[in-house]
Amino acid sequence: MVSNGTSKHQEQLLVQMEVQNQHGLSVKVMTDEQMELLRKQISVYATICEHLVEMHKAYSAQQDIVGMRVGNIYPDPLMGSGPRIPSRQRWTPKPMQLQFLESVYDRCHGTPSKQKIKEITAELLQHGQITETNVYNWFQNRRARSKRKQSILAPNHGESEVEKELDESIKEKTTKPEDAEYHENSMLIAEHMFFQSPEIGIEQLMGNVEVPESVSPFGLL
Amino acid sequence: MVSNGTSKHQEQLLVQMEVQNQHGLSVKVMTDEQMELLRKQISVYATICEHLVEMHKAYSAQQDIVGMRVGNIYPDPLMGSGPRIPSRQRWTPKPMQLQFLESVYDRCHGTPSKQKIKEITAELLQHGQITETNVYNWFQNRRARSKRKQSILAPNHGESEVEKELDESIKEKTTKPEDAEYHENSMLIAEHMFFQSPEIGIEQLMGNVEVPESVSPFGLL
DNA sequence: ATACTATGAATGAAAG
DNA sequence: CTTTCATTCATAGTAT
């Protein structure tokens, strides 16, 4: 199905290249990585919304209270034909779990202790089957691949606009900041938010939740 | 080619660039501003999902309130006709590159080491765009598939395990991802869902969404 | 266009 | 931790 990666620090790490279009206008071009990140984020929501709508429709066959434009969501060329049914043997993180893991990773770059693994696992169990080993592996892989990516990216910056927040890589050391603590599920995630839309209530939801169309993801792409 | 050095710090360019998809060709150009808007949009989706869950729960609880008909509020706006997210372009080895890779592979089957990757990449760059990752993946795949071929060719003496697995994987590729081999009585809704067990529903989809008023479980984005 | 196939890429898990 | 394996996903190319 979809995977997701959301990571504030990752975003910071990402390098936007400055290029020129045919008109000589200088713009930022998303790197593949950035695109991938966005793709994933959007896919997650697209999937969730899609399914929710499906369910909702089924439940309220004659009733439709949602005026939102769910269709605006990407039908998704990315995901091929919808989410795959996870009938495989190996663990596949649910979007929610991934979000959580990413958020934890963002805050503690160091090796998560055994204790934390347990906690994280416990938390994630609310979102689906998962074991400590899964979590452990995930962090292992996450770190390893993050590192590899950097080493490939690093030796290639000459003229592109570089705003590397490389303190990130420094933070990637093996120590684990203790001050970074998660307390509650929601708390954790909330802290990690880029944007919160507390103003949006159900009324607006049903009325006019306007998705900024200038950015209709894709109007632009 | 340039040794990694200092990175130029540049001010952020917030250029609103108009991208035309004249030939249906998607261009992934995006300003930071647009990126921000996108994130906001995603956040909005999060909220929408959240409330959808609430509504869903409400429906599940009391379905007898169904009475009002709203008609066709589901325009299904641009399901399938909307702009597409540019798909990730994947590297396609040039014949010359392929030849080279094959020759290397023939020489040393079990040595895709890190250092050699660099050399090979450098070599192949003369024939076209290529990255170390590409090379790495190529060897990875080459070995894996070579191995797989053997295992399906050699060991078909009595054990049909392999064959069976193969058939399944092939079958899985056809048409829709429909693993409807569970209960013949799968719910209508479940058709496109992850889960087909009756006791599993929306909660699993989104995780145990408590829908706290203050915090979005989706807040991550 | 639609379906199939080959294969590049992503990633969980395991070996070293 | 680093490297490798195994499986799966996605897409470019090709055939129907």
Side-chain angles (χ1 to χ4, degrees), chain A residues 1 11 16 18 28 32 45 49 52 59 63-64 68 87 99 162-163 192-193 197 205 211 217, chain B residues 8 10 12 28 30 32 39 41 43 48-49 51 59 63 70 74 179 194 202 206 218-221:
Chain A
M1 201 208 98
E11 291 249 348
Q16 286 193 327
E18 179 185 309
K28 299 250 180 92
D32 289 340
Y45 285 107
C49 286
L52 282 172
Y59 267 86
Q63 201 178 37
D64 196 339
M68 56 176 274
S87 52
Q99 306 262 32
V162 178
E163 178 163 2
H192 188 268
M193 279 186 73
S197 321
L205 220 201
V211 189
Chain B
K8 287 188 296 186
Q10 245 185 43
Q12 298 279 311
K28 45 179 178 181
M30 206 176 213
D32 282 344
R39 290 201 192 93
Q41 183 186 28
S43 177
I48 290 171
C49 286
H51 287 284
Y59 273 111
Q63 261 189 297
V70 190
Y74 263 127
D179 271 355
F194 299 96
I202 200 164
M206 311 190 55
F218 296 92
L220 234 198
L221 296 172

Side-chain angles (χ1 to χ4, degrees), chain A residues 12-208:
Chain A
Q12 291 173 339
L13 220 209
L14 297 178
V15 177
Q16 286 193 327
M17 290 194 262
E18 179 185 309
V19 298
Q20 295 190 331
N21 68 354
Q22 40 194 346
H23 309 297
L25 190 60
S26 183
V27 297
K28 299 250 180 92
V29 176
M30 292 179 70
T31 64
D32 289 340
E33 208 169 18
Q34 287 171 322
M35 279 303 295
E36 192 58 24
L37 192 63
L38 264 178
R39 269 166 41 94
K40 285 178 179 176
Q41 288 180 339
I42 292 162
S43 287
V44 169
Y45 285 107
T47 306
I48 292 171
C49 286
E50 238 174 81
H51 291 172
L52 282 172
V53 170
E54 284 295 320
M55 293 184 86
H56 194 267
K57 275 181 176 177
Y59 267 86
S60 52
Q62 303 179 346
Q63 201 178 37
D64 196 339
I65 59 173
V66 187
M68 56 176 274
R69 313 183 333 187
V70 173
N72 210 6
I73 287 172
Y74 278 69
D76 209 341
L78 320 168
M79 294 168 40
S81 46
R84 305 294 170 190
I85 296 163
S87 52
R88 11 179 175 290
Q89 55 280 30
R90 90 177 186 187
W91 170 66
T92 303
K94 305 261 188 303
M96 291 304 116
Q97 294 177 325
L98 247 184
Q99 306 262 32
F100 192 92
L101 286 167
E102 286 287 352
S103 70
V104 174
Y105 177 79
D106 279 346
R107 103 190 37 244
C108 330
H109 294 132
T111 309
S113 67
K114 181 83 171 139
Q115 180 56 32
K116 285 187 186 283
I117 294 279
K118 272 197 195 309
E119 294 175 26
I120 293 167
T121 304
E123 178 63 42
L124 291 179
L125 266 170
Q126 296 177 23
H127 302 163
Q129 190 55 49
I130 190 175
T131 71
E132 290 181 31
T133 304
N134 295 140
V135 176
Y136 176 77
N137 284 333
W138 189 89
F139 277 99
Q140 285 292 89
N141 284 314
R142 188 68 177 73
R143 246 191 315 281
R145 281 161 182 149
S146 167
K147 187 176 176 185
R148 193 170 74 87
K149 246 185 313 179
Q150 276 189 239
S151 62
I152 291 180
L153 265 176
N156 215 358
H157 296 134
E159 57 258 323
S160 51
E161 171 198 357
V162 178
E163 178 163 2
K164 287 193 287 187
E165 309 276 305
L166 274 191
D167 59 327
E168 199 279 329
S169 66
I170 296 173
K171 279 190 295 187
E172 197 105 36
K173 69 203 173 205
T174 14
T175 58
K176 70 177 162 70
E178 284 300 335
D179 55 327
E181 283 261 325
Y182 51 87
H183 311 301
E184 284 302 298
N185 172 19
S186 18
M187 240 7 243
L188 201 185
I189 297 180
E191 286 173 15
H192 188 268
M193 279 186 73
F194 281 153
F195 299 94
Q196 225 167 342
S197 321
E199 298 81 13
I200 299 183
I202 191 75
E203 299 77 20
Q204 284 148 331
L205 220 201
M206 306 175 80
N208 50 350

Side-chain angles (χ1 to χ4, degrees), chain B residues 105 107-113 143:
Chain B
Y105 178 78
R107 247 200 326 274
C108 32
H109 282 204
T111 312
S113 79
R143 224 172 316 127

Side-chain angles (χ1 to χ4, degrees), chain B residues 82-142:
Chain B
R84 305 185 24 143
I85 298 176
S87 32
R88 178 178 47 211
Q89 75 287 359
R90 81 179 192 187
W91 167 68
T92 304
K94 303 268 187 301
M96 293 216 270
Q97 293 177 326
L98 232 176
Q99 190 178 352
F100 188 88
L101 287 168
E102 285 288 353
S103 70
V104 173
Y105 178 78
D106 284 341
R107 247 200 326 274
C108 32
H109 282 204
T111 312
S113 79
K114 198 102 166 265
Q115 184 56 36
K116 287 187 185 275
I117 295 281
K118 276 198 196 304
E119 297 174 24
I120 294 168
T121 304
E123 175 65 37
L124 292 179
L125 264 172
Q126 299 176 17
H127 302 289
Q129 188 57 48
I130 191 173
T131 71
E132 290 180 34
T133 304
N134 296 140
V135 177
Y136 174 80
N137 285 333
W138 189 89
F139 278 99
Q140 205 75 22
N141 284 313
R142 188 68 174 77

